[in-house]
Amino acid sequence: MGIDDVHQQLIGRVMRISESASFSHVNDELEEISSLLGFDGFYYYGRFYTGSTRYIEQVESNYSAAWHERYDKLHYAQIDPVVHHAQQSLCPLIWTDDLYKTECQRRFRGEARMHGLAEGVTLPVHGRNGDVAFLSLAVARSDDEARRHVRDMLNWGSLLATFTHEAMRRIVKTQRMAPAPRLTSREAEVLGLVAGGKSTWEISRLLNISEHGVSHHVRNVLFKFDVGSRHQAVAKAVAFGLL
């Protein structure tokens, strides 16, 4: 098979991601396509506005769970330069050491490398309704070859980001038309406390239940909202008018 045939097949595969019917399907497609493009990791973030102030956030990623937990716990989004860039620009941003100017940012950069995010690029996408999204593609090694590969894949990455966002936008719109998930009274209590910034331990004390019980209710809420984190569940609950 010639290189042109391979490219045509890959283009078709990237375009078909927009036909995905669920977030999990998008995630599966992203994992396979990013691997075909020579990347070890991907991270998609989308913020979709459902009103003047309400919005839904959705994340699809194969970054390690440990890195996701640490990133959220330490609020790294506040110092991550690629997040700021994606909110302000449509230009692809290749990760370079020059981006990480403060001591906190340099420490963050070092930790990201240890979690397999050595080199990469972030590709912003802005929607017509004010939606903001980006797709990051990462490689685990850090050398000249890896950096050249990231640059060589910019066009493919931009194409993948565009079609991924289109799929996510359509799925979010479809879900908005569906009725809000029905929560039990206890699940609603737990979600309200999560929205207030309470930890699992604090919620267990306030509701006089075990931490295991709190985690059980949180898992049920995440399942009902079809999200992967507490933060996303709160955002969806706000969008549905449940909080």
Side-chain angles (χ1 to χ4, degrees):
M1 183 180 295
I3 189 67
D4 289 340
D5 293 329
V6 173
H7 283 178
Q8 286 300 319
Q9 286 193 4
L10 192 51
I11 288 173
R13 185 67 184 271
V14 171
M15 293 177 66
R16 281 198 300 275
I17 199 171
S18 65
E19 301 171 4
S20 299
S22 67
F23 295 132
S24 60
H25 189 209
V26 172
N27 194 294
D28 291 342
E29 288 291 306
L30 276 175
E31 181 147 27
E32 188 164 345
I33 295 172
S34 62
S35 178
L36 289 173
L37 293 175
F39 291 98
D40 301 304
F42 70 85
Y43 181 97
Y44 171 88
Y45 166 86
R47 174 180 288 183
F48 303 89
Y49 282 90
T50 60
S52 58
T53 59
R54 291 181 174 178
Y55 58 83
I56 293 174
E57 293 180 304
Q58 188 69 29
V59 171
E60 299 299 333
S61 173
N62 68 347
Y63 288 3
S64 73
W67 177 242
H68 277 295
E69 182 177 354
R70 184 164 183 79
Y71 192 97
D72 291 342
K73 181 178 180 180
L74 298 181
H75 306 290
Y76 275 156
Q78 297 177 10
I79 65 168
D80 189 345
V82 307
V83 173
H84 176 75
H85 174 86
Q87 293 172 342
Q88 306 295 325
S89 175
L90 283 171
C91 295
L93 181 67
I94 295 174
W95 307 348
T96 65
D97 290 339
D98 292 341
L99 292 175
Y100 305 87
K101 302 181 183 304
T102 68
E103 181 60 33
C104 288
Q105 287 177 327
R106 288 190 288 271
R107 186 167 57 249
F108 161 78
R109 170 72 159 156
E111 290 186 29
R113 287 180 184 274
M114 289 189 295
H115 284 85
L117 311 176
E119 305 292 343
V121 60
T122 296
L123 305 134
V125 185
H126 293 186
R128 56 184 176 272
N129 296 320
D131 302 337
V132 177
F134 64 85
L135 175 67
S136 289
L137 299 169
V139 291
R141 65 190 189 281
S142 184
D143 52 38
D144 289 341
E145 182 183 353
R147 287 184 281 274
R148 280 195 301 271
H149 179 76
V150 169
R151 287 175 170 79
D152 290 343
M153 291 294 110
L154 281 179
N155 288 339
W156 284 109
S158 295
L159 188 68
L160 181 59
T162 299
F163 280 96
T164 297
H165 183 65
E166 178 60 24
M168 298 295 287
R169 185 196 63 79
R170 181 174 48 77
I171 295 169
V172 166
K173 182 178 179 180
T174 300
Q175 289 200 352
R176 279 181 56 203
M177 298 172 63
R182 297 184 62 178
L183 304 180
T184 67
S185 58
R186 182 62 90 187
E187 288 167 354
E189 279 184 305
V190 169
L191 182 59
L193 291 170
V194 167
K198 302 299 182 182
S199 67
T200 298
W201 181 85
E202 290 172 322
I203 295 172
S204 71
R205 294 301 180 269
L206 288 168
L207 298 183
N208 196 30
I209 59 178
S210 68
E211 291 183 66
H212 176 76
V214 173
S215 297
H216 170 74
H217 292 305
V218 169
R219 283 195 299 271
N220 286 343
V221 169
L222 297 186
F223 176 78
K224 289 181 178 181
F225 280 108
D226 189 24
V227 295
S229 74
R230 298 182 180 201
H231 179 70
Q232 292 173 39
V234 170
K236 275 201 170 181
V238 171
F240 277 120
L242 300 178
L243 288 176

